[in-house]
Amino acid sequence: MSRYGLAAGAAALLLVGGACAQEIGNPKDTEQWDPKPAVVTPGATDAAAPSDAIVLFDGKNLDQWVATRDKGPAKWTVADGVITVNKLGGNIETKRTFRNYQLHLEWRVPAGTTGSGQARGNSGVFLAATGNGDSGYEIQILDSYQNETYVNGQAASIYKQNPPLANAMRKPGEWQTYDVIWTAPVFDAAGKVTSPARVTAIHNGVVVQNNFVLAGETVYIGKPKYTAHGASPIKLQAHGDPSPPISFRNIWVRELP
């Protein structure tokens, strides 16, 4: 054997020795047995609510929702298992308040919808509604299928803050799906942000927001900023654009630690 062969053999022995050295010890020292994760029964499909979900709309009624402006009964239309926006009825929001959660909802822009830009199937889901009107943190809903607009205002954007990583729109008339992980902001006793809001969002199976850190609440004009708040409702927007109203179905939420 050449001196080069001896050198290669010695190197191999060193590698084997290193691997063996790393295995010295008891593997049980790094096993964790408690606390055990909660058992959650998944839905029959990925879109169906799992066993620990709070169902916000099951196709029957708006019992989980109120009108944002006066906290009276939500005035949107329910028919054939679907909620349709009543633009004159204004925004609606959940009766319950939430902090961190997983949200699933489905929405549809009508086939043959009219308009262009922001005036085409406009709505939004506010992940934390902090007051009346459009206050809060908004993921945009819009018909962005072959419809140009500013990219931080198209579907699946964090409105006026962050464009989506991809345009995953289906055609008008087809159902769109949002799956969202929301981490609420944390404030100290003086109202200063100690941990900003974060959002991960999946649109029709495509990651469009990846743990994005929000600079504050959604604003139409100017820069976003934070105002201290606690647990908040989830809000759906009745936008005043002239296009036909959009619809929602199959909305559920899972509270997270």
Side-chain angles (χ1 to χ4, degrees):
M1 180 181 292
S2 71
R3 61 193 179 104
Y4 300 107
L6 286 170
L13 286 171
L14 285 172
L15 287 173
V16 171
C20 291
Q22 290 175 1
E23 293 177 4
I24 294 172
N26 187 345
K28 292 185 177 181
D29 290 344
T30 52
E31 294 175 359
Q32 179 180 340
W33 287 75
D34 289 299
K36 290 180 171 57
V39 175
V40 176
T41 304
T45 66
D46 288 345
S51 60
D52 64 344
I54 299 167
V55 177
L56 298 176
F57 178 67
D58 62 1
K60 298 176 183 178
N61 55 59
L62 288 169
D63 288 354
Q64 297 293 323
W65 301 82
V66 294
T68 295
R69 59 191 174 199
D70 62 6
K71 305 305 182 284
K75 297 180 175 63
W76 292 11
T77 302
V78 177
D80 301 322
V82 170
I83 307 170
T84 300
V85 174
N86 173 3
K87 297 191 179 189
L88 295 178
N91 298 345
I92 65 172
E93 65 187 37
T94 58
K95 292 179 178 179
R96 302 189 194 210
T97 60
F98 303 95
R99 286 198 55 76
N100 307 327
Y101 59 77
Q102 171 190 350
L103 173 68
H104 175 91
L105 81 162
E106 298 166 23
W107 54 277
R108 181 178 63 189
V109 175
T113 195
T114 56
S116 62
Q118 293 290 303
R120 186 178 175 89
N122 199 324
S123 182
V125 52
F126 288 80
L127 302 174
T130 57
N132 290 331
D134 292 339
S135 58
Y137 311 81
E138 181 187 8
I139 291 186
Q140 174 75 319
I141 290 175
L142 190 76
D143 179 18
S144 291
Y145 184 83
Q146 299 179 352
N147 176 39
E148 293 291 324
T149 189
Y150 44 93
V151 294
N152 62 349
Q154 72 180 70
S157 65
I158 306 303
Y159 187 72
K160 287 291 185 82
Q161 289 196 50
N162 198 50
L165 297 172
N167 182 342
M169 281 293 297
R170 297 185 175 118
K171 296 178 181 179
E174 298 183 17
W175 283 99
Q176 318 281 338
T177 298
Y178 278 175
D179 289 287
V180 180
I181 308 299
W182 169 249
T183 302
V186 178
F187 303 88
D188 64 18
K192 182 180 179 181
V193 178
T194 59
S195 179
R198 295 175 180 267
V199 63
T200 294
I202 298 172
H203 181 197
N204 294 333
V206 177
V207 174
V208 288
Q209 301 289 340
N210 186 14
N211 198 32
F212 176 69
V213 178
L214 281 76
E217 296 188 31
T218 297
V219 290
Y220 182 52
I221 299 173
K223 299 292 186 181
K225 65 178 182 179
Y226 282 103
T227 301
H229 63 85
S232 304
I234 298 167
K235 179 166 57 184
L236 301 178
Q237 186 185 45
H239 196 276
D241 79 292
S243 65
I246 76 165
S247 298
F248 294 89
R249 71 177 184 185
N250 195 21
I251 308 174
W252 51 263
V253 63
R254 293 181 63 245
E255 294 181 288
L256 301 174

